[in-house]
Amino acid sequence: MAGQNGHRGRQNRKPKGRPLDGWLIVDKPTGMGSTDVVTKLKRAFDAQKVGHGGTLDPLATGILPIAFGAATKAVPYVMDSTKVYRFTLKMGDERDSDDADGKTIATSDHRPTNEQIEAALPAFRGDIMQVPPIFSAIKVNGERAYDLAREGQEIQLQPRPARVDRFELVERVDDDTAVFHVQSGKGVYMRSLARDLARAAGTVGHIAALRRLRVGPFLEEAAIPLDSLIVTGDTPPPSPALLLPVTTALDDIPALAVTEAEAARLSFGQELSLVEFMGRVPQAANPDGGLVRVLSGERLMGLCRLGEGLLRPERWLTRG
C-alpha cells in the first residue's frame, strides 16, 4: 500500500513553474550551448515546460527560438523551416570540430582567388550530399558522435542529403578570410559547408564565426538579447507578455483556404482529393510532401500535408 500511495503521490504532484505558452525569440551569445539557454530561461520565467527550435553550436550567435508550453508541439515544424546564416571561413587551417573551437588537423599554404571560390560554390547549391562534422549529435551505434570524438575514437559518418537554396560569397576580408551568406533547409551543417568548400577551392579551412539570421518566420530584428532576459539581484523577472503566440511559428507555411464543411471533414482525419482545391492550393506549397496551413476564414484550423493528389490532415488544432 505504501508503494501504491507513493506512486499516486507522484502522479498528483503539480509541475513546477508557471504554465506559459508561446515563443520567445532569443539572440544567443557565443560560448553557450542551446540547452544552457533553455535552462536559464526556464528559471528566469519560472516556466513549467521549455524547449528550443533548432540547436546552435556554442561558437554561434543569433536567432534561437525558445518554445514555452504548447509551443513545444510546433518545434518539429520550426526545425523543418528555412534558415539563413552568415559565416566567416578561415582558410589554411582545418580543425577537428570544423570550427574555431577545435584542434588543427591540417594546414595549407594555398589561398584561392575569389574566382576560384565562386567556381566551387555551385556544387554546394540545391540538393546535395553532406558528411556531418564528427563533433555533432548524430548517433553512432547508439552513442552521440561528439562523445565518441571527445574520447579520441575514429568516426566515419555517412553522407546525408541536404538542401541549400543560396550559398554566396559576400566579402573577402583578406587572403585568409571570407564571409558567406547561406539559406538552407533542415539539417544542413554550416561547419560541413565551410570545410567542404575550402577543400573544393584547393585549400582547407574552418568556421571562425557563425550567426543565424532567420529561422522560419522568426527574423533577426525581432530577437531579444539573452542578457536582457536573465534575472539578477533585485531585477524583476521578464514579462510573459514578451512571448509570441504559439501559432506564430507556422506563419511562413503556405496558407490554404477551406470551407467550414471541408474543415469539419479534415478535423475527423479524412483525406480530401486535391481536385476539390483546384485554384486554391498556394503556388509556394510543395505538392510532393509539402505542408499547408489550413484556414477557415481567418481562423487557423491545423496543418495538412500534400501528396499523391491528396490533402492529408497532419496536426489539427481545433475541431471543424
Side-chain angles (χ1 to χ4, degrees), residues 301-317:
M301 309 302 292
L303 296 174
C304 290
R305 196 170 291 278
L306 309 176
E308 300 176 345
L310 295 172
L311 182 69
R312 296 184 173 94
E314 176 152 321
R315 181 178 289 276
W316 211 249
L317 305 177

Side-chain angles (χ1 to χ4, degrees), residues 77-91:
Y77 305 107
V78 170
M79 295 181 73
D80 283 352
S81 63
T82 297
K83 299 174 184 67
V84 175
Y85 298 87
R86 182 178 64 245
F87 73 73
T88 300
L89 171 64
K90 193 73 171 179
M91 290 176 279

Side-chain angles (χ1 to χ4, degrees), residues 30-32 57-60 95-104 135 191 206-208:
T30 190
M32 180 182 297
D57 295 330
L59 175 87
R95 306 286 178 96
D96 56 2
S97 64
D98 298 315
D99 65 15
D101 288 337
K103 297 178 181 178
T104 298
F135 283 88
R191 288 177 289 154
H206 66 269
I207 279 186

Side-chain angles (χ1 to χ4, degrees), residues 56-295:
L56 275 179
D57 295 330
L59 175 87
T61 67
I63 291 182
L64 182 64
I66 302 296
F68 288 76
T72 58
K73 296 179 181 178
V75 162
Y77 305 107
V78 170
M79 295 181 73
D80 283 352
S81 63
T82 297
K83 299 174 184 67
V84 175
Y85 298 87
R86 182 178 64 245
F87 73 73
T88 300
L89 171 64
K90 193 73 171 179
M91 290 176 279
D93 179 2
E94 184 167 317
R95 306 286 178 96
D96 56 2
S97 64
D98 298 315
D99 65 15
D101 288 337
K103 297 178 181 178
T104 298
I105 56 173
T107 59
S108 171
D109 293 329
H110 177 66
R111 298 296 181 269
T113 64
N114 286 4
E115 291 73 21
Q116 289 173 319
I117 292 173
E118 294 281 7
L121 282 171
F124 299 96
R125 298 182 184 129
D127 294 314
I128 65 171
M129 297 298 289
Q130 183 184 71
V131 177
I134 59 170
F135 283 88
S136 63
I138 290 172
K139 287 193 174 182
V140 179
N141 298 323
E143 295 190 59
R144 298 291 185 187
Y146 53 64
D147 288 331
L148 298 175
R150 288 180 186 128
E151 293 171 2
Q153 295 190 36
E154 187 172 335
I155 303 169
Q156 294 291 331
L157 297 178
Q158 297 303 309
R160 295 185 169 210
R163 174 76 191 179
V164 178
D165 296 308
R166 291 177 62 191
F167 191 5
E168 299 170 353
L169 174 63
V170 175
E171 180 186 6
R172 186 69 181 265
V173 180
D174 53 39
D175 286 348
D176 295 336
T177 315
V179 179
F180 296 86
H181 179 96
V182 180
Q183 179 175 310
S184 68
K186 177 185 178 182
V188 179
Y189 289 92
M190 295 302 111
R191 288 177 289 154
S192 293
L193 275 184
R195 175 199 66 208
D196 295 343
L197 174 65
R199 291 175 179 174
T203 186
V204 295
H206 66 269
I207 279 186
L210 172 63
R211 182 166 179 80
R212 188 156 66 189
L213 308 175
R214 174 188 168 191
V215 178
F218 303 130
L219 306 179
E220 183 182 25
E221 49 265 32
I224 303 172
L226 179 65
D227 289 349
S228 68
L229 297 165
I230 302 305
V231 178
T232 56
D234 296 330
T235 305
S239 170
L242 293 171
L243 271 57
L244 302 172
V246 173
T247 54
T248 308
L250 311 177
D251 283 351
D252 69 331
I253 297 175
L256 173 65
V258 301
T259 65
E260 289 186 11
E262 290 164 345
R265 292 161 64 193
L266 290 166
S267 74
F268 289 106
Q270 291 186 32
E271 299 176 350
L272 304 183
S273 171
L274 287 179
V275 173
E276 300 182 39
F277 299 93
M278 291 288 287
R280 283 190 279 163
V281 176
Q283 290 187 349
N286 180 358
D288 184 20
L291 278 175
V292 289
R293 187 166 37 105
V294 174
L295 303 176

